[in-house]
Each structure stands twice: as C-alpha cells, then as structure tokens.
Amino acid sequence: MRLRRSPRRRAPETIVALIDVVFFLLVFFMLVGRLDATAPFEVTPPLATVGTDLPAGGVTVSVSETGALALDGRPVSRAALLAALRPRADAADGPPLVRINAHAAVALRVLLPLVTALEGIGMTTVVLVVTPNAA
Amino acid sequence: MRLRRSRPTGAVITLTPLVDVLLILLVFFMVTSRYLNLDMIPMVERGTAPGAPGPAAAPEARPLLLRLAADGGVVWRGEALGPAALTAALTARVAAHPETRVLVLPAGDADAQALVSLLERATRAGIADVRVVRLEDR
C-alpha cells in the first residue's frame, strides 16, 4: 500500500504586497513628474550643456518654429499673451517665473522682442528652456 | 426567552479590483506622459540692470562685442570665427582679463539654437557675464 501525502495547501499570495508596490510606483511617477500643458505645436528646445535646473511653477510661453505663441498650452496672439500676463506682474508674491519654451529653429527676431516685451510688462524672471545636451 | 440572530459576517472586500484600478492608473500615466529633462538659461533676471561703463572705462573693462550672423556664425572684429577659434579667442581673453564681459549682437534671422550655442561657448570659456542686445519690434 502506498501512502500519499495530502497535497500541501499553497500559501495564499499576499495581494496586499502587490498593491503596495503598484501604489508606490504610482505615487513615485506622480511625484517626480510635473504635469505641464503641452503646446499645440511641436517644440524642440535648443540643446545646451550649460543650463541650470528648471524650477517648478510659473507660466510657460511656447514659441513654435514659425513664431506662433501658446500660453500654458493654449494658442494665443502676442497681444493677448501680454494682456493675460500683465495683471500677474503685480501679484502679491511678485511676478511669476516665465519660461519661454521656444523651438530651436525660431528666428531671434521673434524671440528677443518677446523677451523685451515680457520684461516691459514687469516680468523680472524670464528663462529660456533648453534640453540638456550630454556632451 | 429572546432569540438572537446570528451576526451576519461582514462582506469580504475583494482586493483584486483595487489592484486593477491602480495598475490601470499607473499604465495610463506612464503611457500618456512624456518625460522631458529640461534645463534653463536665464534671459531676464532681477537686478541685472546693465551698468555700462562709459568710454572712459579701461579698455579691458569694455565688453567684447560678438556679432551673431544670420547663418549662426560668429563675427568678432570683422572676422568670422569658427567654434574652435572662438573658444580659443575667448579663453585667451579670459586668461588675460578674468572680468571680461561679452555683448552679443544677434542678427534677427539667426535661430535660437545659434544664440544658445554662442552663450554656451562663452560660458564654457569662463566668461561670467554675457549679455544679449535685444532686438526691438519693427
């Protein structure tokens, strides 16, 4: 007569641990990423090795290759852009950081007067967004 | 005598749908987001009013004027400088006068990448103060 062991009961998988891992991944991606409105056109920022870290917050002005503008993802005319930003220069906590996310091939005749105009309406911090170039 | 109902056992919460939701959220964020690594170059900073030295200033205190041509080339004192020549010229100048400032006069047709490259070359050569002459609206 042959005796068989009764089959062992499998240990129940702790699904709680799996949830923990997934949850941590989710929270991680939500923390390290910054949700930003993308421009309605393609923008490839210039490459540079000397840029500094881009702080969060502020407003993003996108400039397309042809000079079209977008404010925080919405296409605007230049006059509307300046009109929308002018009141924010007098904000209680100071003017916001203005990030100019310009296409690498945009002509400076578009870009530089825009910087001047932004400074003219009271923006004290204007930065140009660049892509770090591993060189 | 009072009869008591046996207590109903609490409904078992199934965890699997929760995991499903979390996983879907995770995959959604991973798929819909683009991860961009971005840096910045300041264009306007608080308290950087240009203190232009007058003509009486010492010659080495006067800024170096670099022209950025429409094709992205750099012209210094009337001669076009290639990237290597520019770096060499700026490095030599910085070695002689560490406080050298650079003034960039860009052509309107030059593109943003050309300007950024020029700023980068000047910075890497050790020049701490680079300014760009702003173009006005026509």
Side-chain angles (χ1 to χ4, degrees), chain A residues 106-129:
Chain A
V106 70
L108 292 178
R109 73 169 77 257
V110 174
L111 188 61
L112 293 180
L114 178 67
V115 176
T116 310
L118 286 170
E119 193 179 11
I121 62 169
M123 296 297 161
T124 49
T125 318
V126 180
V127 301
L128 183 66
V129 173

Side-chain angles (χ1 to χ4, degrees), chain A residues 15 19 29 46-49 51-52 54 78 104 106-109 112-113 116 119 124-130 132, chain B residues 15 19 22 35 37-41 43-46 106 108-113 116 120 124 134-135 137-138:
Chain A
I15 207 158
I19 299 177
F29 281 110
L47 293 173
T49 53
T52 48
L54 187 65
R78 196 183 138 136
V106 70
L108 292 178
R109 73 169 77 257
L112 293 180
T116 310
E119 193 179 11
T124 49
T125 318
V126 180
V127 301
L128 183 66
V129 173
V130 294
Chain B
L15 286 172
V19 181
L22 285 179
Y35 287 93
N37 187 13
L38 296 175
D39 278 357
M40 65 170 195
I41 290 180
M43 300 290 278
V44 176
E45 277 179 309
R46 209 183 296 263
D109 285 323
D111 60 18
Q113 179 66 65
V116 168
E120 178 175 313
R124 286 169 82 91
R134 303 267 183 67
L135 307 171
D137 283 315
R138 289 245 187 100

Side-chain angles (χ1 to χ4, degrees), chain B residues 55-115:
Chain B
E60 63 268 19
R62 268 190 243 139
L64 220 91
L65 187 67
L66 295 178
R67 255 172 198 286
L68 181 62
D71 60 355
V74 179
V75 180
W76 181 29
R77 290 180 179 164
E79 53 182 301
L81 292 181
L86 175 66
T87 305
L90 291 179
T91 310
R93 176 79 184 225
V94 168
H97 308 290
E99 297 299 307
T100 299
R101 300 184 306 144
V102 164
L103 203 55
V104 178
L105 182 61
D109 285 323
D111 60 18
Q113 179 66 65
L115 178 65

Side-chain angles (χ1 to χ4, degrees), chain A residues 14-33:
Chain A
T14 53
I15 207 158
V16 178
L18 178 61
I19 299 177
D20 285 354
V21 170
V22 171
F23 200 70
F24 273 118
L25 278 174
L26 181 67
V27 170
F28 172 77
F29 281 110
M30 288 174 74
L31 283 185
V32 298

